[in-house]
Amino acid sequence: VFSVVLVFIYQNSITRFISSDIDMGEESCISRKESVLYRKSSSPYKPSSYLLSKLSTYEKLHEQCGPHTDSYKRSIKQLKSGRIDDNSTDCRYVVWVAEFGLGNRMISITSVFLYALLTDRVLLINQEHDMSNLFCEPFPNTSWILPHDFPFKSKFKKFKQKNHDDKLPSSLFLYLAHEYDHDDKLFFCDQDQALLTKVPWLIIKSSMYFLPSLFLISSFEQELSKLFPDKETVFHHLGRYLFLPSDRVWRLITHYYDDYLAKAEKIIGIQVRIFQDKPSPYVMDQILSCTQKEKLLPEVDTEKPIGSSSPSKNQTDKAVLITSLSPDYYKKMMKMYGQHPTKTGEVVGVYQPSHEGKQRSNNNSHNIQAWVEIYLLSLCDELVTSAQSTFGYVAQGLRGMRPLILYKIDDTKPDPPCGRGISMEPCYHAHPIYNCKAKTTVDTATLVPYVRQCEDISWGIKLF
Ligand code: GDP
């Protein structure tokens, strides 16, 4: 108990990430206090003191400019007028608008938040009903939710590419999602950034982890190197800071963990994400050859029935947490470890919290379940994730671990079946490859030593 308390005090004192003394309104945010009790060890990655002071400055700005403040009301007036009025621009904002599933949303919110930090803007989230009750408010004494009476809300759903205008208005829509075009990507050019500084309201629809490309904008370079001396931990720090499970989600997480996972000596998380309509018949083989080759899970002795070799123990040595929309992989693994003893004598328990069948990202309880499972994966000792899945990216980032990635299956079984990620950072899919100065294309993955091509997708880059 003493050491748990010590860890708790230590963590609270180094960072407000887990501080609990701030009144967050009706929601008490139990996870802010308790998450440390569920992580077996504290993160070995410490945020830089510069990042901590930047976050504290940001919190003050957000409190001063947040919804319903006088500054916010003035800014809304200006927004409605459509003109930039130099006298009333004491606060500038960036509004995040969702696309796609929860993983995509969490990595894009993180990207927009870092952009807000770099440009002294206040981040507001356009939260539809499908995302309500997922997270605690991250910033003290204020809210990050865009108020319902925000003027242009009705336009958010429809806007896509080419919302560009030559004049500088009081607001701009920016589209940074998978189908963005050349003009949208000019966002990543220094010249455009200089212009955007003057626009008080930026509304960004995004589904991607575009954050690595912020590291390629020269005007942000110096600040970013002070904020993140260790580039591999950007999402780890910002994600843990921003995304604390709401009380409702926290209860679901802790009940599941206490009931099924807590007793195991080692928890192995396996995230199975199938993008094809028809899953490949090789997926189960791939999972087993990966986990056995990497010695995460023992083989079974098919010659013997269960209970024949070692005296049965009450305890589970290893718990496997499978997350998937489908129940198939759980059923197969359950059957395997249920019928035969393992060659090492270890007892393996297999668990899957849900099998939702298909993605329904506009449904609130479906997203709550997704968040529960992403978080449970982030509590595992080892992680096996599926290539190209942002759901897995969030889990690995919050966990603070380079996962074993199950390589994408096309027609044949990939060999090797999986490989260790080069970093725990999410991958930026469909990144721009344009050199703004030379006006030519460029291999973005070779420009700086800390950005590389992703290991799970050739048209992506990541920090490492
Ligand atoms: P990605 O599509 O794999 O990059 O991840 P996203 O999270 O953006 O979108 C997939 C969505 O499908 C998730 O947000 C969930 O809504 C659902 N989903 C996919 N895999 C799982 C899973 O293992 N468990 C649950 N509960 N939902 C899942």
Side-chain angles (χ1 to χ4, degrees):
V1 172
F2 183 63
S3 65
V4 168
V5 172
L6 261 189
V7 170
F8 186 52
I9 292 170
Y10 171 65
Q11 291 234 343
N12 262 332
S13 63
I14 51 154
T15 149
R16 205 205 63 80
F17 288 10
I18 359 178
S19 142
S20 56
D21 8 278
I22 288 141
D23 177 16
M24 304 296 278
E26 284 170 37
E27 168 86 43
S28 66
C29 196
I30 317 166
S31 63
R32 195 180 288 276
K33 276 193 213 141
E34 288 191 358
S35 55
V36 67
L37 304 174
Y38 283 81
R39 298 207 177 275
K40 285 192 182 154
S41 53
S42 62
S43 170
Y45 309 103
K46 303 297 169 222
S48 67
S49 53
Y50 192 72
L51 173 60
L52 295 179
S53 82
K54 187 93 182 173
L55 291 174
S56 128
T57 310
Y58 175 83
E59 288 175 1
K60 288 189 197 100
L61 179 75
H62 199 117
E63 193 176 344
Q64 180 203 323
C65 301
H68 313 301
T69 58
D70 288 345
S71 306
Y72 176 83
K73 287 175 194 155
R74 273 201 301 280
S75 272
I76 289 288
K77 253 194 203 148
Q78 183 185 53
L79 174 70
K80 284 180 178 162
S81 81
R83 290 187 316 272
I84 299 181
D85 165 4
D86 282 340
N87 296 327
S88 65
T89 54
D90 52 345
C91 297
R92 290 174 310 130
Y93 300 83
V94 55
V95 175
W96 170 87
V97 180
E99 265 215 332
F100 300 142
L102 188 61
N104 280 279
R105 295 180 193 194
M106 292 172 77
I107 56 175
S108 61
I109 289 176
T110 310
S111 301
V112 177
F113 179 60
L114 180 58
Y115 182 68
L117 284 183
L118 291 169
T119 55
D120 300 319
R121 288 179 183 273
V122 169
L123 165 69
L124 296 176
I125 300 292
N126 178 50
Q127 183 182 273
E128 303 292 346
H129 171 68
D130 57 26
M131 274 186 72
S132 62
N133 266 314
L134 260 66
F135 308 114
C136 298
E137 285 282 357
F139 316 124
N141 309 318
T142 182
S143 174
W144 71 338
I145 311 289
L146 184 74
H148 287 297
D149 56 0
F150 185 77
F152 299 146
K153 265 191 151 218
S154 58
K155 287 191 182 171
F156 287 176
K157 267 219 168 69
K158 280 189 232 128
F159 93 78
K160 274 219 158 176
Q161 301 97 323
K162 300 196 177 66
N163 281 281
H164 314 288
D165 198 330
D166 291 338
K167 284 187 289 185
L168 271 185
S170 59
S171 67
L172 258 183
F173 283 88
L174 302 163
Y175 187 75
L176 300 179
H178 287 73
E179 293 165 3
Y180 60 167
D181 64 15
H182 174 77
D183 285 352
D184 297 313
K185 293 177 193 169
L186 296 177
F187 172 81
F188 297 100
C189 294
D190 276 302
Q191 304 90 300
D192 284 57
Q193 280 305 321
L195 282 177
L196 292 180
T197 315
K198 304 195 180 100
V199 181
W201 285 91
L202 298 181
I203 296 152
I204 301 187
K205 186 181 268 186
S206 180
S207 54
M208 294 190 290
Y209 192 64
F210 64 79
L211 179 158
S213 280
L214 299 178
F215 283 74
L216 302 175
I217 298 176
S218 55
S219 50
F220 297 148
E221 213 174 290
Q222 211 183 356
E223 187 71 359
L224 282 170
S225 72
K226 285 199 279 181
L227 286 169
F228 300 104
D230 179 359
K231 309 283 184 295
E232 186 182 348
T233 59
V234 179
F235 183 81
H236 178 64
H237 292 316
L238 296 182
R240 280 198 180 186
Y241 172 75
L242 289 174
F243 304 116
L244 283 159
S246 66
D247 288 357
R248 179 176 169 198
V249 173
W250 187 244
R251 275 189 281 274
L252 294 169
I253 292 169
T254 52
H255 284 166
Y256 195 88
Y257 188 93
D258 294 344
D259 287 352
Y260 300 108
L261 307 175
K263 281 194 225 95
E265 276 166 27
K266 209 159 202 190
I267 311 169
I268 288 106
I270 305 179
Q271 182 239 350
V272 191
R273 176 77 167 115
I274 309 291
F275 288 102
Q276 300 83 348
D277 290 337
K278 256 196 175 170
S280 155
Y282 302 126
V283 177
M284 194 63 205
D285 276 0
Q286 187 191 17
I287 295 170
L288 291 179
S289 55
C290 171
T291 49
Q292 288 169 3
K293 188 166 159 280
E294 298 288 337
K295 309 241 174 303
L296 298 189
L297 289 176
E299 288 177 49
V300 290
D301 191 344
T302 47
E303 304 285 298
K304 295 181 188 150
I306 196 87
S308 59
S309 55
S310 59
S312 74
K313 292 189 276 183
N314 249 348
Q315 167 223 353
T316 308
D317 296 310
K318 282 188 169 155
V320 184
L321 173 74
I322 297 187
T323 72
S324 177
L325 288 169
S326 149
D328 296 354
Y329 313 100
Y330 160 78
K331 280 188 190 157
K332 283 183 187 151
M333 197 176 277
M334 186 69 185
K335 194 170 164 201
M336 188 179 96
Y337 286 114
Q339 283 182 343
H340 304 285
T342 60
K343 286 187 178 167
T344 56
E346 288 169 295
V347 178
V348 177
V350 186
Y351 308 94
Q352 177 170 1
S354 78
H355 46 90
E356 294 270 308
K358 62 177 193 204
Q359 178 173 348
R360 286 177 293 124
S361 295
N362 52 6
N363 178 298
N364 184 238
S365 48
H366 174 84
N367 287 334
I368 286 182
Q369 187 59 35
W371 179 211
V372 168
E373 290 175 29
I374 289 176
Y375 201 95
L376 284 170
L377 285 171
S378 84
L379 297 176
C380 292
D381 299 298
E382 276 288 355
L383 264 184
V384 180
T385 58
S386 293
Q388 305 185 359
S389 169
T390 62
F391 190 96
Y393 293 164
V394 175
Q396 83 202 26
L398 294 179
R399 167 64 178 83
M401 169 175 265
R402 296 176 188 170
L404 282 167
I405 303 168
L406 295 165
Y407 294 129
K408 193 133 191 255
I409 301 185
D410 291 320
D411 296 329
T412 51
K413 256 192 277 184
D415 184 22
C418 62
R420 189 66 71 180
I422 52 164
S423 101
M424 59 171 120
E425 275 287 294
C427 173
Y428 177 9
H429 299 176
H431 62 286
I433 47 163
Y434 182 64
N435 181 328
C436 307
K437 272 198 199 120
K439 297 194 170 30
T440 52
T441 55
V442 66
D443 183 359
T444 325
T446 57
L447 288 179
V448 291
Y450 41 84
V451 172
R452 258 178 51 183
Q453 186 182 355
C454 302
E455 55 287 70
D456 60 336
I457 188 166
S458 59
W459 58 95
I461 51 169
K462 71 192 287 186
L463 293 165
F464 80 108

